[in-house]
Amino acid sequence: MLPGLLPELEVIRKDFPILERTLAGGLPLVYLDSANTSQKPQCVIDAMVDHLERHNANVARAMHQLGAESSEAFENARDVVARFIGAPSRDEVVFTKNASEALNLVANTLAWATGDLAIGEGDEVVITEMEHHSNIVPWQLLTERKGATLRWFGLTDDGELDLSDIDSLITERTKVVSLTWVSNMLGTINPVTEIARRAHEVGAIVVVDASQAAPQLPVDVTEVDADVLVFTGHKVVGPTGIGVLWGKRSLLEQLPPFLGGGEMIETVRMERSTYAGIPHRFEAGTPPIVEAVGLGAALEYLAAVGMDNIHRHEQAITAYALEGLATIPGLRVMGPLDATRRGGAVAFEMDGVHPHDIAQVLDSRGVAVRAGHHCAKPAHARFGVQSSTRMSSYLYTTPAEIDALVEGLEHTRAYFKVG
Amino acid sequence: MNAELDSLYQEIILDHYKNPHHAGLRDPYEAEVHHVNPTCGDEVTLRVHLDGGTVADVSYDAVGCSISQASASVLTDLVIGKPVDEAMSVHQEFLALMQGKGTVEPDEDVLEDGIAFAGVAKFPARVKCALLSWMAWKDATTRSLEETR
């Protein structure tokens, strides 16, 4: 067995019912698209079904027993999230629809902010060339609307952030530095703590997109030294429809409201309203209750397996995958080739066959990967490609599944008569 | 396992993919359009030249998968030299085939090599690939007509 693999891998796989199913032609499923969305363990499915079957009611506004149970389950999920990311206070955990909404919440409320947080002409927002579109477009909108300037870190040929111009990028004009912890395309793990330190020296707000980091690295928001950290539920074996925005209390309390509505108010008069404290100020309307319950169950599951163990497993599988991919003629991996410096998403191109066609042939063999630009067009453009094929593993991935991928790629070359 | 795949990747499609017809951008032209498939990023830049109510030339620069590349090649074979009206009805026929979810029987007299795409209609995720250049052509032709009116 590969060193570093989860010792109880077969037991873990049994927790995920979907891994048992077969595809057209009776083929077993080889799911290598977890960076896109992860599969769900039975305990998450059960927690959500149990809530719907036994405890369903609206939260924080139903004065009956079910309402109390539902509110407790929802708020318990907030406690679980706070523990999972080492948040100093549960009030700093805001539930959103997904990571995109969390990033848009920050960018929009900053656009409306006055005083110290206000952004205007002459101010700068710094991102990176490896961001997911959801960490590019909200900042483009903010800077365009406010007459500010968007700047970014470029990438080295190895797929790392080019930090050589950090002194000219992060300056006293910088108001926000927003970057991904782990790239969804290149897999690169960025030195977020070092960049956060530099950003804080000039008084900038640091936003960390942990959508790909939270599933596979131990997260401690204090250690990262971010002001805001976001991730999405469905990539951490939880359901879709729920994301997390963690923000430092001092920052969240200064930001103006985002969406107006029920639950985010203190009192409403026809002339004007006053607003609830954090986190509810940013949670207008009936929240995704059962999704929060599912997310809580998901994070408890990951914590029980152990994030350090999951990280080691990912590194072992990724190293094995990089070795296997290196045996395919004409295949080029984009991003770091050292598994200890990257996450479990591995994007590559293969001479003579377009990514869509690769994914199609792999799918006919039961191997699920993603093909396209992975919502990271600028990163693809940086490497002179329009799209790529991406395999991504998770805690349930086995070396045999990587073998199936590599065999599938050899078959693909033969099918398209390459080489 | 490969029968399903072979219905998608017909030999004709792979031939057009490896040796695309009428590829490259040429003068003269009245309209140039740029279409993308936002889900996957496939792109085509396509020019149309009309001459006296006939599609005199269609030239293109496309980046994408085998299906989208082959489709552009077949498109040019089918429409170049045809009166605009007739070319539009070929377009309609191809569109119906692609949107037919595999139930439409293609007419080889009208679609020629285009009948090879019948299998693509059974793969919903790939229909957009096959239609990219066709939609670009319709757009560019409409603009050319306005230009030459």
Side-chain angles (χ1 to χ4, degrees):
Chain A
M1 198 167 95
L2 288 179
L5 284 193
L6 284 166
E8 308 231 296
L9 185 51
E10 280 314 307
V11 180
I12 284 182
R13 284 182 67 81
K14 288 204 166 45
D15 291 337
F16 292 81
I18 207 167
L19 300 179
E20 307 266 309
R21 73 157 280 182
T22 53
L23 301 167
L27 292 169
L29 167 67
V30 176
Y31 188 74
L32 294 174
D33 198 19
S34 291
N36 202 349
T37 195
S38 62
Q39 295 303 345
K40 322 303 173 198
Q42 191 67 52
C43 62
V44 168
I45 299 165
D46 288 348
M48 295 176 75
V49 170
D50 178 66
H51 188 85
L52 289 169
E53 283 182 347
R54 296 171 45 78
H55 309 291
N56 181 54
N58 211 331
V59 293
R61 36 170 97 46
M63 295 301 136
H64 44 65
Q65 291 174 48
L66 292 186
E69 289 172 18
S70 193
S71 298
E72 190 184 339
F74 179 68
E75 291 302 332
N76 176 60
R78 200 187 306 277
D79 291 328
V80 173
V81 172
R83 277 200 298 278
F84 188 78
I85 59 175
S89 163
R90 67 184 308 281
D91 294 341
E92 297 174 336
V93 175
V94 176
F95 286 126
T96 61
K97 183 169 70 181
N98 45 38
S100 296
E101 189 185 62
L103 291 164
N104 277 276
L105 188 159
V106 180
N108 276 276
T109 52
L110 280 171
W112 300 326
T114 50
D116 287 352
L117 294 179
I119 290 176
E121 275 178 40
D123 291 334
E124 295 177 353
V125 172
V126 176
I127 59 174
T128 86
E129 205 175 5
M130 67 167 77
E131 298 307 313
H132 188 282
H133 295 165
S134 61
N135 201 25
I136 297 174
V137 182
W139 304 113
Q140 289 175 337
L141 291 170
L142 168 68
T143 50
E144 282 165 15
R145 285 168 180 163
K146 305 298 287 185
T149 303
L150 185 67
R151 304 184 68 191
W152 53 87
F153 285 102
L155 308 180
T156 67
D157 291 342
D158 304 327
E160 311 253 358
L161 283 186
D162 178 3
L163 298 176
S164 61
D165 53 355
I166 189 166
D167 289 328
S168 60
L169 267 176
I170 298 183
T171 68
E172 67 286 350
R173 291 185 297 278
T174 311
K175 299 287 274 191
V176 180
V177 177
S178 186
L179 79 161
T180 190
W181 188 340
V182 178
S183 160
N184 74 317
M185 175 209 165
L186 302 164
T188 320
I189 300 177
N190 290 322
V192 282
T193 309
E194 182 193 330
I195 292 169
R197 185 176 54 77
R198 299 292 290 271
H200 283 148
E201 282 170 7
V202 299
I205 294 167
V206 176
V207 179
V208 171
D209 176 1
S211 297
Q212 296 292 339
Q216 48 183 321
L217 299 176
V219 174
D220 183 318
V221 291
T222 314
E223 211 171 285
V224 174
D225 199 18
D227 299 294
V228 172
L229 180 140
V230 309
F231 65 100
T232 192
H234 69 93
K235 295 190 205 289
V236 287
V237 309
T240 54
I242 186 145
V244 170
L245 161 68
W246 169 84
K248 267 185 193 156
R249 175 184 289 275
S250 54
L251 175 65
L252 291 183
E253 284 180 339
Q254 276 189 77
L255 288 173
F258 178 46
L259 302 177
E263 194 57 28
M264 57 75 71
I265 50 95
E266 185 178 60
T267 185
V268 175
R269 287 177 293 125
M270 288 313 291
E271 297 77 18
R272 69 176 297 270
S273 302
T274 55
Y275 308 110
I278 62 167
H280 299 110
R281 176 196 299 193
F282 297 110
E283 293 179 355
T286 295
I289 302 165
V290 71
E291 288 80 1
V293 170
L295 175 60
L299 297 182
E300 281 181 326
Y301 176 83
L302 292 183
V305 177
M307 289 310 296
D308 285 318
N309 298 331
I310 292 171
H311 183 206
R312 268 196 296 279
H313 180 82
E314 283 278 83
Q315 286 194 334
I317 288 286
T318 306
Y320 187 70
L322 289 169
E323 260 173 50
L325 293 174
T327 65
I328 307 277
L331 187 146
R332 179 169 75 110
V333 168
M334 285 165 277
L337 295 174
D338 174 357
T340 64
R341 297 178 66 81
R342 57 155 32 253
V346 182
F348 56 87
E349 59 169 352
M350 197 163 85
D351 286 345
V353 196
H354 190 275
H356 291 186
D357 297 319
I358 295 174
Q360 192 86 55
V361 177
L362 291 177
D363 183 55
S364 76
R365 298 167 66 91
V367 180
V369 297
R370 182 164 170 183
H373 51 62
H374 321 306
C375 299
K377 287 191 88 164
H380 279 81
R382 164 63 180 82
F383 288 93
V385 297
Q386 179 218 22
S387 63
S388 63
T389 309
R390 182 184 73 180
M391 67 129 278
S392 52
S393 53
Y394 206 14
L395 75 161
Y396 38 68
T397 306
T398 67
E401 290 182 303
I402 301 298
D403 294 341
L405 168 72
V406 172
E407 284 159 23
L409 290 170
E410 282 162 2
H411 173 78
T412 307
R413 292 185 79 242
Y415 190 86
F416 280 92
K417 304 183 176 68
V418 179
Chain B
M1 150 166 84
N2 274 351
E4 185 84 341
L5 207 58
D6 292 344
S7 81
L8 175 67
Y9 294 118
Q10 301 273 326
E11 209 56 50
I12 299 174
I13 292 182
L14 297 181
D15 285 348
H16 276 277
Y17 174 46
K18 299 225 154 146
N19 300 297
H21 304 171
H22 307 108
L25 292 170
R26 289 179 295 276
D27 290 323
Y29 63 95
E30 294 77 46
E32 176 182 292
V33 298
H34 182 72
H35 279 216
V36 299
N37 180 347
T39 32
C40 60
D42 280 4
E43 298 186 33
V44 63
T45 302
L46 184 141
R47 292 175 177 176
V48 168
H49 171 43
L50 301 181
D51 188 7
T54 296
V55 182
D57 193 19
V58 177
S59 62
Y60 62 95
D61 179 23
V63 196
C65 64
S66 58
I67 304 294
S68 74
Q69 301 282 77
S71 177
S73 172
V74 168
L75 160 80
T76 57
D77 279 354
L78 283 173
V79 300
I80 293 175
K82 281 203 173 73
V84 172
D85 290 353
E86 206 180 306
M88 281 291 182
S89 70
V90 173
H91 179 277
Q92 197 49 44
E93 187 92 2
F94 189 76
L95 191 65
L97 175 64
M98 284 300 97
Q99 294 175 339
K101 296 177 179 160
T103 61
V104 175
E105 192 60 40
D107 183 347
E108 186 166 4
D109 291 340
V110 179
L111 292 179
E112 301 174 22
D113 277 3
I115 63 165
F117 290 84
V120 177
K122 284 180 274 181
F123 292 83
R126 306 304 293 274
V127 168
K128 270 195 201 167
C129 309
L131 285 178
L132 182 66
S133 57
W134 288 77
M135 292 308 190
W137 174 76
K138 190 179 181 187
D139 184 11
T141 303
T142 310
R143 291 186 200 197
S144 295
L145 286 172
E146 284 165 7
E147 203 61 30
T148 50
R149 186 168 295 159

